[in-house]
């Protein structure tokens, strides 16, 4: 289990170093904050080890690395990715295995070998992603990304917070696959999602990933506390 509580808010730390430290410092002691999502902005600008070092000054809550998007390469490169993430000190990684089932299996295995928790996504929040909406990715391929993950024993999944109906369908499918899904969702505020609606669709375990709605607020602590209240 990555996050102990059943529902939480995960700030997305897609900001510069100064803002990142302010964000973690301002929100780390809020009970409804379940962890922090670190993205490529921090990884490329200051490095993952430095990002972890900053967070650990204020919190021991889980740090989830989102490579945006990992697992889109050949299977073998997953080993280096996992080793770097482990040595950096992050607790979990997000994978979007758009490169196919062999890459999905390999990257999950490599992450597990390094004792990293794995969260798998398939459907994204923006328009024209899947083919039925004018995108490149076949709709059934998205379903297969989740099904393959469930078959490999994954229980943690990324789903779009601005699409509650999709969350319901993915949840039903995963439960049929005998998975016990824990959902993590971006797509709120600027992308139209509402935390309270996604919580209802997701079920017992749900963590909302909120970026600009928190780090773009005049008072980040108050904004984070407000989102935590939306969890019910």
């Amino acid at each position: 289990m990555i996050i102990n509580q059943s529902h939480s808010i995960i700030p997305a730390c897609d900001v510069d170093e100064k803002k990142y430290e302010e964000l973690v410092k301002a929100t780390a002691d809020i009970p409804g904050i379940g962890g922090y999502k670190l993205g490529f902005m921090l990884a490329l600008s200051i490095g993952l080890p430095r990002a972890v070092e900053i967070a650990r000054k204020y919190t021991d809550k889980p740090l989830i690395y989102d490579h945006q998007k990992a697992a889109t390469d050949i299977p073998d490169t997953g080993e280096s990715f996992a080793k770097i993430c482990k040595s950096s000190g992050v607790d979990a990684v997000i994978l979007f295995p758009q490169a196919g089932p062999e890459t999905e299996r390999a990257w999950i295995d490599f992450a597990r070998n390094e004792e990293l928790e794995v969260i798998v996504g398939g459907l994204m929040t923006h328009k024209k992603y899947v083919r039925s909406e004018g995108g490149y990715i076949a709709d059934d391929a998205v379903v297969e990304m989740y099904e393959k993950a469930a078959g490999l024993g994954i229980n943690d999944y990324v789903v779009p917070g601005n699409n509650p109906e999709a969350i319901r369908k993915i949840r039903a499918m995963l439960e049929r696959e005998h998975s016990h899904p824990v959902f993590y969702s971006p797509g709120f505020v600027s992308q139209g999602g509402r935390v309270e609606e996604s919580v209802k669709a997701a079920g017992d375990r749900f963590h909302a990933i909120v970026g600009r709605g928190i780090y773009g607020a005049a008072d980040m602590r108050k904004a984070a506390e407000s989102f935590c209240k939306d969890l019910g």
Side-chain angles (χ1 to χ4, degrees), residues 7-65:
H7 296 146
S8 79
I9 297 295
I10 300 174
C13 305
D14 299 317
V15 291
D16 61 28
E17 181 176 5
K18 181 175 182 294
K19 189 73 168 182
Y20 168 58
E21 183 159 5
E22 291 172 354
L23 171 59
V24 177
K25 184 178 181 180
T27 60
D29 66 336
I30 299 174
I33 297 296
Y36 294 88
K37 185 177 80 73
L38 315 182
F40 75 85
M41 191 169 189
L42 284 172
L44 293 179
S45 60
I46 65 173
L48 271 180
R50 175 60 179 157
V52 172
E53 179 185 9
I54 290 170
R56 291 296 175 235
K57 292 196 292 184
Y58 307 101
T59 183
D60 61 357
K61 293 178 180 180
L63 302 178
I64 301 167
Y65 180 51

Side-chain angles (χ1 to χ4, degrees), residues 134-156:
Y136 296 140
I137 306 297
D139 296 61
D140 58 352
V142 171
V143 174
E144 289 176 19
M145 292 179 209
Y146 291 111
E147 287 179 333
K148 177 72 171 179
L152 293 169
I154 296 297
N155 288 308
D156 297 271

Side-chain angles (χ1 to χ4, degrees), residues 9-228:
I9 297 295
I10 300 174
C13 305
D14 299 317
V15 291
D16 61 28
E17 181 176 5
K18 181 175 182 294
K19 189 73 168 182
Y20 168 58
E21 183 159 5
E22 291 172 354
L23 171 59
V24 177
K25 184 178 181 180
T27 60
D29 66 336
I30 299 174
I33 297 296
Y36 294 88
K37 185 177 80 73
L38 315 182
F40 75 85
M41 191 169 189
L42 284 172
L44 293 179
S45 60
I46 65 173
L48 271 180
R50 175 60 179 157
V52 172
E53 179 185 9
I54 290 170
R56 291 296 175 235
K57 292 196 292 184
Y58 307 101
T59 183
D60 61 357
K61 293 178 180 180
L63 302 178
I64 301 167
Y65 180 51
D66 183 5
H67 196 60
Q68 297 157 313
K69 296 292 183 256
T72 58
D73 201 357
I74 64 170
D76 291 348
T77 53
E79 183 173 16
S80 297
F81 175 80
K83 288 182 179 298
I84 290 169
C85 289
K86 180 64 175 181
S87 65
S88 298
V90 299
D91 302 291
V93 293
I94 292 175
L95 307 181
F96 266 73
Q98 297 159 343
E102 286 304 304
T103 289
E104 181 169 8
R105 178 198 55 76
W107 281 56
I108 289 172
D109 286 346
F110 285 130
R112 285 172 164 165
N113 289 345
E114 297 298 328
E115 299 182 333
L116 292 166
E117 299 283 354
V118 178
I119 305 168
V120 172
L123 187 60
M124 294 182 68
T125 57
H126 63 285
K127 296 178 180 178
K128 294 191 176 182
Y129 174 65
V130 291
R131 188 165 293 162
S132 63
E133 298 175 354
Y136 296 140
I137 306 297
D139 296 61
D140 58 352
V142 171
V143 174
E144 289 176 19
M145 292 179 209
Y146 291 111
E147 287 179 333
K148 177 72 171 179
L152 293 169
I154 296 297
N155 288 308
D156 297 271
Y157 308 93
V158 176
V159 289
N162 57 354
N163 193 339
E165 183 56 32
I167 295 176
R168 290 187 189 93
K169 290 180 180 178
I170 293 167
R171 174 186 170 189
M173 179 271 292
L174 289 169
E175 289 174 346
R176 288 195 299 271
E177 295 292 322
H178 306 292
S179 182
H180 303 283
V182 181
F183 291 117
Y184 303 74
S185 289
F188 301 104
V189 188
S190 60
Q191 294 189 75
R194 293 174 57 84
V195 171
E196 55 268 42
E197 293 179 2
S198 293
V199 169
K200 293 176 183 177
D204 293 338
R205 301 192 65 84
F206 176 78
H207 307 285
I209 299 169
V210 182
R212 286 167 283 186
I214 294 177
Y215 66 68
D219 188 323
M220 291 187 286
R221 183 178 181 85
K222 286 186 177 179
E225 289 174 333
S226 178
F227 279 107
C228 290

